[in-house]
């Protein structure tokens, strides 16, 4: 990790290219950092989609989380949209994890299995 001095000295904007990526120092249009991170995230998965119910840090409200889906970010957004519509609730995507409001583990498990994923119910 670069030192604080190196982080503060980095070029943020160039009149020639516009915004630059803070990691690779290339123009944002030419930056490949996100694509590389996305590829690394997908490569690290084991092929099993895990569905769990979480309440910690949510003031007692239950949220169903789905992680381990081997899709890129755009396809993950589309999948999350259809799953939220199937459950009739809201949700979000955070760091490659789909969050669906409420406890819908059984419905989501059936839906993902029908799409060909290997699914496990994890946690409580």
């Amino acid at each position: 990790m670069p030192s604080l001095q190196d982080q503060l000295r980095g070029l943020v904007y160039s009149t020639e290219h516009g915004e630059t990526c803070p990691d690779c120092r290339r123009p944002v249009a030419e930056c490949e950092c996100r694509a590389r991170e996305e590829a690394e995230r997908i490569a690290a998965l084991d092929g099993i989609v895990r569905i769990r119910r979480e309440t910690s840090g949510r003031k007692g409200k239950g949220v169903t989380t789905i992680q381990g889906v081997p899709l890129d970010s755009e396809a993950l957004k589309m999948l999350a949209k259809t799953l939220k519509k199937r459950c009739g609730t809201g949700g979000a995507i955070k760091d490659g994890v789909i969050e669906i409001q409420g406890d819908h583990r059984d419905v989501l498990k059936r839906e993902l299995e029908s799409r060909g994923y290997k699914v496990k119910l994890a946690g409580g």
Side-chain angles (χ1 to χ4, degrees):
M1 179 163 185
S3 69
L4 181 62
Q5 293 277 334
D6 291 338
Q7 291 176 13
L8 294 176
R9 282 191 205 129
L11 181 65
V12 176
Y13 187 85
S14 168
T15 55
E16 185 177 342
H17 301 289
E19 290 186 42
T20 58
C21 175
D23 296 328
C24 66
R25 309 272 194 239
R26 297 171 67 187
V28 173
E30 298 174 9
C31 176
E32 298 174 356
C33 295
R34 286 199 181 178
R36 186 174 51 245
E37 288 174 2
E38 190 73 25
E40 289 173 1
R41 182 189 68 81
I42 292 173
L45 300 176
D46 61 355
I48 299 172
V49 177
R50 288 176 175 79
I51 301 175
R52 76 172 51 119
R53 181 175 178 269
E54 294 182 3
T55 57
S56 63
R58 304 176 193 282
K59 298 181 183 177
K61 306 285 190 211
V63 173
T64 305
T65 60
I66 304 167
Q67 74 186 125
V69 182
L71 297 174
D72 64 336
S73 60
E74 291 301 316
L76 199 63
K77 285 180 186 178
M78 295 303 293
L79 177 65
K81 183 177 179 178
T82 57
L83 293 177
K84 290 188 296 186
K85 194 177 287 187
R86 176 88 164 96
C87 295
T89 61
I93 300 176
K94 296 180 183 173
D95 299 325
V97 177
I98 301 173
E99 296 180 354
I100 307 286
Q101 296 173 355
D103 185 7
H104 301 283
R105 289 177 290 182
D106 298 328
V107 174
L108 294 171
K109 182 177 181 186
R110 283 193 304 267
E111 181 69 24
L112 290 170
E113 284 176 341
S114 70
R115 292 175 179 260
Y117 295 106
K118 184 176 178 184
V119 180
K120 283 188 179 180
L121 294 178

